[in-house]
Amino acid sequence: MATGIASGSGQLYLREPVYRRNSYGKAQCHSTVILSGMQNQIHWSSWISKLLQVDRSNYSQCQVKTNRKFHRGTIKSCQREGSTRYFDFAVIGSGIAGLRYALEVAKHGTVAVITKAEPHESNTNYAQGGVSAVLCPKDSVESHMQDTIVAGAYLCDEETVRVVCTEGPERIKELIAMGASFDHGEDGNLHLAREGGHSHRRIVHAADMTGREIGRALLEAVVKDPNIYVFQHHFAIDLLTTQDGSDIICHGIDTINTETQEVIRFISKVTLLASGGAGHIYPSTTNPPVATGDGMAMAHRAQAVISNMEFVQFHPTALADEGLPIRPSNARENAFLITEAVRGDGGILYNLDMERFMPSYDERAELAPRDVVARSIDDQLKKRGEEYVLLDISHKPTEKILSHFPNIAAECLRYGLDITQQPIPVVPAAHYMCGGVRAGLEGETNVQGLYVAGEVACTGLHGANRLASNSLAEALVFARRAVQPSIDHMNISKIDHSASSWWPRPVAPLLLGDTVLNKVIRQTREVRKELQSIMWEYVGIVRSTSRLTLAETRIIELELKWERYLFQHGWEPTMVGLEACEMRNLFCCAKLVVSSALSRHESRGLHYTIDFPHVEESKRLPTVIFPSQLNSSWSSRQLHKQQIC
């Protein structure tokens, strides 16, 4: 794994690659981008767009040289040959980014939406607060930009911030035109809420179920579109790529139908990764079970550039089951989120002695950005030896609480807690990955034909900490921005109907038999818990170099131990299964987070380390992990061998 540092706010130039050795004695190639002086000044987003720019003129010539006939133009219907499907566009993920993109590109070709579980099961569905946008005359794009940059600890890319803050309002209007229903005030205008880090009311919402409402509207439109085919319960395994010199080209995706165990190959002219985040590298997360970092890991294995993985956002207020009058009978798969809007509407944080503590940490108190609030709560819990703190909104009128937070009120009432009368027990939980696959201003990556949008992407918007409700806005903006370049790429690309034979095909591990397979699954689940425990204990809200180094060692040892167990029980390198593939993706993302965290010698935003407790202006640089051909383990390799043009 190669880690380089690149500038985030201006002056950049590339050095020649340098070779170093890691602690295990293996050579690694580090492409290092460093901050230059006044010469060669270019903006990060402009520079990254040029770095990632697709040479479309050469693409059509970069095919495996055979006498096969290529299909040009739009595929008029879903074409299948055995277990291979052919589409113009393949979309991995059915959240807000994937569905919004699919609806646009479907006007120009056939679209496969590949989703891991049910189509509605995504991080979008669990987003409570809303979408940030400048829709009030008293507000301004400049103010939204400033709030975003301050929350992001000045690591945000200014051009990206301007793009999202400027284009966001139009994207919301498009959602409303498609049938999304948001809350309105008595004056008939949209009701705009305020959340931590925002200087104005600018959060468009549907009570405390905004993501669910957006997902409903988008899915209804997708179902009606004859050019969109939704493949549910299809787990994405690996991107299908070829290589021409230094150019990597994406041709689609391998998947496994988790209900039938059939491996399905999708050949496409354009692929969009919109697969969400990696919250389940931690034991407690607000993310649904599908958020296992699959897109980030697949992209990394396919030689895509990864950035800013050390910035893991812990939401300060997830429901603490330990503090409920009636404890849930079963452990939750994901923590229940208590939206930022509760604090935005006047909610106050107390310790268990009902002492308000946030003003002693930050002058913005409960309205401080999430990283500040999460660290403050973490400090309170450690100092006092307690398991949770209390968030109280009961001083507000009952009708206002129930109208603004009906979902939260209902969930708490299930366990004997009336939020109109009692404070809510809360604790931080892993929530959002600010890092991901590095994207340019049109969602492009350094892999030709591969675009990214949503949480899987690192666009530069969030910097070192995401401002509340900016994620849905970013997903909408970049999903739309990726449309035109995707169409352009599709129009000059070719489909080879025998392309399915270019790569070895993964297989389900059915030959192992139920007894062995069940043992492998049980062991994998235990390993998963151990990895999550390591990440929470050593790579949590507060970090140190020694603990990060220990985490790195333990993760590598655990991964190798797990792989040995698999292969000792008959697992083959081409075998794929849901639990095993999720596990290798979790290992990959955990290592990316630790590697990135070790490279940042300052405390900025979500990355706080006791060894470097201050912000260092000279280190105001994104962390960039460049592609490396050194993939020493099964978990780190694409399952198929790349073809060379």
Side-chain angles (χ1 to χ4, degrees), residues 132 236 537:
S132 61
E537 186 173 355

Side-chain angles (χ1 to χ4, degrees), residues 422-465:
Q422 301 164 277
I424 307 167
V426 294
V427 68
H431 183 59
Y432 189 88
M433 304 294 294
C434 289
V437 184
R438 191 75 213 190
L441 286 172
E442 294 182 324
E444 73 274 26
T445 73
N446 62 301
V447 177
Q448 296 183 23
L450 178 67
Y451 296 81
V452 289
E455 190 173 351
V456 71
C458 181
T459 65
L461 173 68
H462 307 307
N465 177 42

Side-chain angles (χ1 to χ4, degrees), residues 414-431:
R414 287 178 59 196
Y415 301 104
L417 184 75
D418 181 357
I419 69 170
T420 68
Q421 302 295 323
Q422 301 164 277
I424 307 167
V426 294
V427 68
H431 183 59

Side-chain angles (χ1 to χ4, degrees), residues 458-576:
C458 181
T459 65
L461 173 68
H462 307 307
N465 177 42
R466 177 174 69 88
L467 180 65
S469 290
N470 266 3
S471 55
L472 294 182
E474 178 198 39
L476 285 169
V477 168
F478 274 86
R480 288 288 282 111
R481 285 190 141 250
V483 168
Q484 191 56 53
S486 296
I487 295 167
D488 294 342
H489 191 87
M490 183 270 292
N491 285 333
I492 55 89
S493 301
K494 303 174 181 178
I495 285 284
D496 185 338
H497 281 264
S498 57
S500 187
S501 63
W502 294 359
W503 305 273
R505 192 176 289 269
V507 295
L510 302 178
L511 294 177
L512 296 182
D514 289 344
T515 301
V516 172
L517 190 55
N518 287 336
K519 286 179 66 176
V520 167
I521 291 173
R522 283 197 300 270
Q523 179 65 18
T524 299
R525 289 173 180 172
E526 289 302 313
V527 168
R528 178 167 171 162
K529 290 178 182 177
E530 189 171 348
L531 174 66
Q532 291 171 332
S533 178
I534 292 169
M535 290 298 292
W536 178 251
E537 186 173 355
Y538 300 111
V539 200
I541 296 173
V542 177
R543 303 164 177 175
S544 71
T545 301
S546 61
R547 296 176 73 79
L548 288 171
T549 302
L550 182 58
E552 183 177 55
T553 301
R554 289 190 59 184
I555 290 169
I556 291 172
E557 290 174 348
L558 182 63
E559 181 182 34
L560 293 176
K561 177 183 175 182
W562 173 68
E563 287 186 5
R564 282 197 299 269
Y565 183 92
L566 260 62
F567 290 110
Q568 286 170 359
H569 284 78
W571 197 270
E572 299 289 339
T574 55
M575 286 183 176
V576 293

Side-chain angles (χ1 to χ4, degrees), residues 623-643:
T623 304
V624 181
I625 299 178
F626 287 92
S628 170
Q629 298 291 343
L630 295 172
N631 296 319
S632 57
S633 68
W634 175 71
S635 294
S636 302
R637 289 193 300 268
Q638 286 177 289
L639 296 181
H640 50 72
K641 182 180 179 181
Q642 290 186 15
Q643 296 284 329

